Amino acid sequence: MKTYYQTFLIRDWQPQDRQEAANLIASILIEYGLGCEPCGADVDVYKVEKYYQQ
């Protein structure tokens, strides 16, 4: 599925999106003085299929 909202393309998750999404989330956490925990609190960022698509 692809659709647009204003100038934003909204489409289904693709596995190749994983690293870019993880980098974005990590950068936001850093802005708040937090670290990314890929094996802890942020595991869902790296396992999208398990936590959001099942």
Side-chain angles (χ1 to χ4, degrees):
M1 180 185 107
K2 288 184 181 182
T3 189
Y4 283 89
Y5 172 74
Q6 296 179 4
T7 60
F8 297 97
L9 171 63
I10 301 171
R11 62 170 175 73
D12 292 333
W13 169 262
Q14 300 294 317
Q16 61 265 26
D17 297 330
R18 187 177 329 280
Q19 193 57 55
E20 189 172 349
N23 291 346
L24 174 64
I25 292 167
S27 71
I28 293 167
L29 289 170
I30 288 169
E31 288 182 22
Y32 287 91
L34 302 169
C36 185
E37 300 176 22
C39 296
D42 303 308
V43 69
D44 60 325
V45 173
Y46 297 90
K47 297 183 178 182
V48 171
E49 295 83 359
K50 177 180 179 181
Y51 289 94
Y52 298 104
Q53 292 186 320
Q54 288 186 358

